[in-house]
Amino acid sequence: MHSVMSDFAFELAKLLALEGSDFIKQLKLIASLNDFCPLEGENDIFTVGGEKCGDYSNLLNAARKAVSHGYRVYILPNPKGTRSADFIFEQKGIYKLYDLKTISGSSSVGNRLKESIGQTNRVLLNIRCRYDARLMAMEIRRFFEYSFDGIEVLIFKGTKLISVTRRFALHPKFKQQFRCVYER
């Protein structure tokens, strides 16, 4: 008999070999697993337990921000020995997998983005400190230059949501346009 974590680890591990519509089907399958329960007092945050993990308060903080932007959030378990993403976000039937990086230091975005390479192709930066927009723009661009399968860096800054796609990040005027959006 399998434990919940081994089932999740198995289903999450399958994601690494999938692309395109097969990847999305697998995300939907994972989100539909009966092991997910709504978090008490939260209608759009689902979990399978894991409230004891050290990063849980950061996960919950980011999940609540995502819900405020219209997402349904599935907090994924973190199976031991497996580098996996933290969330499945669902909005209007569209499912996306994100790795959370909570930013609380003044020059940590580049290192945190590097950690995500190979984990998932979408990263969520939850900014919890003052961070220089010019430096962040350079670090995001560098992430897309090194992460060939990177699709999106989603940024939560206060109540603001900023989506940076590969195409936007590699645009010649990205740094100026990003600063306008980020600093507004």
Side-chain angles (χ1 to χ4, degrees):
M1 182 157 142
H2 287 327
S3 73
V4 171
M5 288 303 152
S6 65
D7 288 346
F8 261 94
F10 178 73
E11 296 301 341
L12 286 171
K14 282 184 184 178
L15 286 171
L16 298 173
L18 299 174
E19 293 179 4
S21 64
D22 291 331
F23 181 85
I24 300 303
K25 284 178 195 162
Q26 185 66 12
L27 279 184
K28 288 180 182 180
L29 172 88
I30 292 168
S32 72
L33 292 173
N34 288 334
D35 302 309
F36 275 110
C37 297
L39 195 60
E40 192 173 322
E42 308 278 350
N43 290 336
D44 289 317
I45 300 175
F46 299 85
T47 183
V48 292
E51 291 81 0
K52 292 172 182 62
C53 90
D55 203 30
Y56 192 73
S57 64
N58 287 331
L59 292 169
L60 196 52
N61 176 283
R64 286 183 174 134
K65 286 183 181 183
V67 167
S68 75
H69 289 286
Y71 290 99
R72 176 174 290 136
V73 178
Y74 299 86
I75 300 175
L76 297 171
N78 206 338
K80 293 211 180 331
T82 306
R83 288 180 67 217
S84 63
D86 296 302
F87 298 117
I88 296 174
F89 285 2
E90 183 270 327
Q91 188 176 49
K92 297 179 182 167
I94 297 174
Y95 290 77
K96 297 177 180 179
L97 185 68
Y98 287 95
D99 186 34
L100 172 66
K101 298 300 178 190
T102 301
I103 305 302
S104 51
S106 61
S107 60
S108 57
V109 166
N111 290 333
R112 302 304 310 270
L113 285 172
K114 241 185 264 171
E115 293 168 4
S116 284
I117 295 175
Q119 217 165 340
T120 180
N121 52 19
R122 295 178 190 274
V123 181
L124 169 59
L125 297 177
N126 190 15
I127 309 298
R128 306 281 296 266
C129 62
R130 293 179 60 75
Y131 206 95
D132 181 72
R134 187 174 329 158
L135 177 60
M136 187 179 299
M138 289 182 345
E139 291 171 328
I140 290 172
R141 173 173 273 173
R142 198 171 303 128
F143 166 75
F144 282 110
E145 290 170 350
Y146 289 111
S147 175
F148 300 113
D149 62 348
I151 294 174
E152 178 187 28
V153 174
L154 190 64
I155 302 163
F156 289 164
K157 178 187 175 220
T159 59
K160 194 184 306 189
L161 176 144
I162 303 164
S163 173
V164 179
T165 61
R166 167 181 293 281
R167 184 175 181 173
F168 179 35
L170 299 178
H171 189 276
K173 294 194 185 221
F174 167 67
K175 289 178 191 167
Q176 298 130 302
Q177 292 173 346
F178 177 79
R179 286 182 63 199
C180 288
V181 173
Y182 186 81
E183 294 172 344
R184 188 176 336 127

